[in-house]
Each structure stands twice: as C-alpha cells, then as structure tokens.
C-alpha cells in the first residue's frame, strides 16, 4: 500500500481520568498540605546536665503536634503518598495496622479529607489511644495476636475496597529524607546556635523504622559526623536482626512499649543506615520516663523512656572518655495516654517489672557522672 492509498489509523487513546475524582484529589492534597502550613515546628527541650561535663542533652518534643505524637509527621507523609499514588479514593476506607499513635494521627487526616478510617490494633492498646482514634472519627478493630495485624488489615481492605496504608512498608519511602523540614533537618536547624550544633549522637526508637531511616539518611546526605543509635525494647526483633544481619529475625510476643518494637523485621527498618543499637529492658524504659518527669516535669510515653535510657548511657560513655558534645533523643508522645500503664504501680506489678534498680542507676549517674559499675575506660552496653 503506497502513500496515496494507505488507510488512516486512528491514535489509540485510553483516558481514565475522572474530573470529579481529580477535583476531590486536589482538594484532599491541599487540605493535608495546609495542615503542615498551620503547624509550627516542635520544640527542642534541654535535659539539664552538670555544666562541668561539657555535654548537652536534648529531647525533640514531638508531643506538641496536633495529634500529640511523632506519628503526625508520618501520617501526613503517608496520606500524601497514598493520595498522589491514586491509592486513597473518595468514600473508601483507609485501614492501618497500628499499636496506637499512628492510628490516632491517621484518623485525624482521614477525617480531614472525609474518608472512613479503621485501625487494626492489639487488644492491649491503651484505652486513651482508642478513645482518641474514635474522637477523630476512626474505628478500632482489635486482634489478640499482634502478628496477625498485617493480614487482618489486608483482608479488611480487600473486603471494603479500601486502601491498606501499611506504614511498616511505606514509612521510609513516604518521607522526604533529603530535607523539606523533616525531623532531621528540623533538629539541625534548631541546634544552629547551640554550643555543639552538630550532635555527636542522635538516639531514635523504631516501630516502623521510618524515623531512624530518615535521620540516618539525612546525616549521610549532609555529610555530618553524627552517629545514629536505635534503642530497642524487649519482645522486639530489630536488635537481633541488626546484630546478626538476619532479615528473617522474629519475636514470639508483642512489645509492652507501645509504638516501638516489632515481632518481625519491617521493610521500613533500614539496618545499614544506622551505627549502633541498644537492647533496653522494659523496666529501664519505665524508670527513665519517670525520671524525665522528675527532672523536667513532663510525662511522656514509654518509647521516650527507651530512647532516653540509651541517650543517658551514651552520655555516660562520653563522660567516661572525657568527650564533649551534644546528644539528641525524642519525646515521642505524651504520658497521659499511658496513665494506666507506665505510670501505674499496679500495672508494673502485674507485668512483673521492677524499676527500682534502673531508677537507682539513673539517680547515681545524674549525681556522679558515672554509670554504676562503669570504669572510666569502659563503654556502657
């Protein structure tokens, strides 16, 4: 067939755009971004240490977000990620596997854009977190075995036609770790006028692993000398998986420290990015969070205690080695969510936790600068 007789072939064109949906999407993204514009940055609190030590300890207070926790940043990023990928649709529920704080924050953003929200969570989740999820319009769906949260969430999404947010997979990729006012960039900006503006250590805890990945990647990207330590509670596999380079590491029971610790190595946990891990007894986490209240008058959740315990041991190491500098850890959420747990002596007795030896260790350290049984040249565990 020559050019004079060749048939005209129409362009193949498949247009799946829906103008109503695109209008809804633009408005939903605008609302989520507007939330960030309305929110001021969180404070960097100073934990008082003796001046002669030459070491400054700070807590990044994430409890001042609109939903009261570090997870507000993550939930905002996950919603933007899900919306921009076309996964979150009008009228369809968002489902999340969460031990509490992420679900509170995601319930807030779901209500903001007008979609239903279902939190799949362990039956042991604190009553206050459940109340907050429901306050923001979400539903609580309980499981007896924390290891079943993933498959139950996926099944609910399939049955409802909704979207399983899956924070444990997408936390590390939904956050812009190069900057854009993420938590790491915020910490360094707030330290600019301090005597040690580049911290020697940043201590984080891991639930999804997204926060430690964001901080560690930002440190490497900006070519800082800061080291990143992740503190892991009992009944969590992250420490063993990191030490033994075992991506299949697992734990048979759920963590008592809500929000951190996982029974499996989560996809968002990036072991190669961090420098150090510490395994922290749950009793030590509770002792540390109660010590925080005594020292600065603030109640915080158990995950804050896990990080603070490790930060104090790192400070003890620096004192023993005659080093100066700054250390930063996180105040993840407020303690009023856990009055029936970490601030309840009855709960401690029920769990068989004795915090007295750990309380004594902290008190001795803060008074003398030496961790009990620590020689001047000995690194704390």
């Amino acid at each position: 067939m020559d050019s004079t007789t060749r048939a005209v072939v129409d362009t193949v064109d498949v247009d799946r755009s829906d103008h109503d949906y695109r209008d809804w999407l633009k408005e939903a993204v605008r609302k989520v971004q507007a939330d960030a514009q309305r929110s001021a940055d969180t404070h960097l609190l100073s934990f008082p240490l003796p001046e002669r030590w030459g070491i400054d300890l700070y807590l990044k207070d994430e409890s001042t977000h609109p939903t009261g926790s570090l997870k507000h940043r993550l939930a905002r990023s996950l919603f933007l990620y899900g919306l921009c990928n076309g996964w979150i649709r009008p009228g369809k529920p968002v489902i999340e596997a969460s031990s509490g704080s992420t679900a509170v924050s995601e319930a807030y953003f779901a209500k903001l854009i007008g979609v239903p929200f279902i939190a799949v969570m362990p039956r042991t989740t604190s009553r206050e977190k459940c109340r907050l999820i429901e306050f923001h319009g979400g539903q609580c769906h309980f499981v007896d075995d924390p290891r079943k949260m993933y498959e139950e969430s996926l099944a609910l999404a399939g049955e409802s036609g909704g979207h399983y947010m899956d924070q444990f997979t997408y936390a590390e990729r939904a956050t812009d770790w190069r900057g854009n006012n993420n938590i790491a960039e915020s910490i360094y900006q707030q330290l600019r006028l301090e005597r040690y503006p580049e911290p020697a250590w940043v201590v984080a805890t891991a639930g999804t692993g997204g926060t430690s990945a964001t901080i560690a990647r930002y440190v490497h990207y900006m070519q800082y000398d800061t080291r990143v330590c992740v503190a892991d509670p009992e009944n969590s596999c992250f420490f063993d998986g990191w030490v033994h380079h075992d991506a299949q590491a697992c734990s048979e029971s759920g963590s008592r420290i809500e929000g951190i610790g996982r029974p499996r190595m989560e996809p968002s946990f990036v072991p190669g990015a961090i420098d150090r891990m510490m395994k922290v007894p749950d009793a030590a986490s509770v002792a540390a969070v109660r010590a925080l209240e005594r020292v600065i008058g603030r109640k915080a959740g158990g995950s804050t205690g896990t990080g603070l315990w490790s930060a104090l041991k790192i400070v003890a190491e620096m004192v023993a080695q005659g080093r100066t500098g700054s250390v930063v850890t996180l105040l993840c959420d407020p303690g009023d969510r856990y009055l029936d747990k970490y601030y309840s002596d009855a709960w401690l007795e029920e769990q068989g936790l004795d915090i007295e030896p750990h309380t004594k260790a902290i008190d001795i350290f803060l008074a003398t600068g030496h961790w009990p049984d620590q020689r001047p040249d000995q690194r704390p565990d």
Side-chain angles (χ1 to χ4, degrees):
M1 183 182 298
D2 60 30
S3 59
T4 59
T5 59
R6 184 181 295 120
V8 176
V9 178
D10 288 338
T11 301
V12 176
D13 186 357
V14 179
D15 185 352
R16 291 199 174 111
S17 65
D18 178 325
H19 293 297
D20 290 340
Y21 162 69
R22 289 298 297 269
D23 289 343
W24 176 88
L25 176 61
K26 287 171 64 177
E27 181 64 6
V29 170
R30 183 196 67 76
K31 288 177 177 178
V32 176
Q33 290 182 333
D35 173 83
Q37 293 299 313
R38 290 194 303 272
S39 301
D41 203 355
T42 59
H43 302 298
L44 196 62
L45 306 178
S46 176
F47 186 101
L49 298 174
E51 182 72 22
R52 67 181 183 278
W53 292 3
I55 300 171
D56 297 328
L57 176 59
Y58 304 92
L59 292 102
K60 179 69 166 160
D61 184 7
E62 295 291 285
S63 71
T64 57
H65 283 294
T67 54
S69 83
L70 168 69
K71 300 299 186 179
H72 193 85
R73 293 181 191 266
L74 172 59
R76 183 193 296 128
S77 296
L78 287 168
F79 264 82
L80 286 173
Y81 194 69
L83 285 165
C84 294
N85 282 336
W87 297 341
I88 299 173
R89 292 280 171 160
K92 299 295 184 179
V94 169
I95 295 98
E96 182 63 284
S98 169
S99 61
S101 287
T102 302
V104 173
S105 299
E106 288 188 8
Y108 168 90
F109 283 105
K111 184 177 182 180
L112 185 68
I113 66 171
V115 298
F117 178 77
I118 303 171
V120 179
M121 55 209 306
R123 200 170 296 279
T124 55
T125 301
S126 73
R127 291 192 298 271
E128 178 62 11
K129 282 186 179 176
C130 298
R131 185 192 71 80
L132 288 169
I133 291 166
E134 292 169 351
F135 172 78
H136 290 299
Q139 300 177 46
C140 298
H141 181 96
F142 298 105
V143 295
D144 294 313
D145 184 347
R147 293 171 296 179
K148 301 294 185 183
M149 291 196 306
Y150 316 95
E151 58 189 76
E152 188 70 11
S153 299
L154 195 58
L156 283 174
E159 293 167 7
S160 65
H163 170 56
Y164 171 29
M165 191 73 90
D166 195 2
Q167 59 167 323
F168 299 107
T169 294
Y170 295 108
E172 56 88 11
R173 66 190 74 174
T175 302
D176 185 354
W177 50 267
R178 296 172 185 85
N180 194 23
N181 195 34
N182 65 35
I183 189 171
E185 183 178 52
S186 175
I187 288 169
Y188 281 89
Q189 285 296 318
Q190 291 175 314
L191 286 172
R192 281 188 306 116
L193 299 181
E194 301 298 308
R195 61 175 175 169
Y196 306 115
E198 185 178 324
W201 287 91
V202 175
V203 180
T205 49
T208 62
T211 298
S212 61
T214 297
I215 293 171
R217 286 166 166 171
Y218 183 80
V219 165
H220 301 320
Y221 180 68
M222 297 299 292
Q223 303 165 57
Y224 291 128
D225 291 325
T226 303
R227 300 297 188 262
V228 177
C229 173
V230 171
D232 203 35
E234 295 177 28
N235 301 325
S236 174
C237 69
F238 286 143
F239 180 84
D240 288 339
W242 184 80
V243 169
H244 300 295
H245 305 282
D246 181 7
Q248 304 305 314
C250 61
S251 173
E252 291 302 313
S253 55
S255 172
R256 279 182 292 218
I257 307 301
E258 286 190 26
I260 61 171
R262 299 300 305 157
R264 70 174 192 181
M265 294 289 281
E266 301 293 353
S268 279
F269 180 61
V270 185
I274 62 177
D275 301 285
R276 181 176 182 178
M277 289 199 71
M278 288 191 191
K279 194 71 172 177
V280 179
D282 290 347
S285 297
V286 177
V289 84
R290 291 189 177 193
L292 179 69
E293 183 183 17
R294 292 195 301 274
V295 173
I296 70 170
R298 292 285 300 276
K299 280 186 169 70
S303 58
T304 299
T306 308
L308 179 59
W309 175 266
S310 294
L312 289 171
K313 297 200 83 173
I314 286 174
V315 171
E317 172 186 331
M318 294 171 68
V319 171
Q321 295 176 348
R323 296 168 53 206
T324 59
S326 59
V327 177
V328 179
T329 187
L330 309 177
L331 198 164
C332 303
D333 62 357
D336 57 8
R337 297 180 177 183
Y338 310 98
L339 297 180
D340 59 340
K341 286 194 170 185
Y342 314 125
Y343 294 92
S344 166
D345 291 339
W347 183 83
L348 289 176
E349 184 176 355
E350 176 189 313
Q351 296 294 317
L353 297 177
D354 180 10
I355 69 171
E356 288 306 314
H358 306 286
T359 299
K360 184 177 180 181
I362 293 172
D363 291 343
I364 290 172
F365 166 65
L366 293 177
T368 67
H370 298 292
W371 207 264
D373 302 322
Q374 174 193 344
R375 297 187 304 274
D377 61 346
Q378 180 184 7
R379 280 180 59 137
D381 294 333

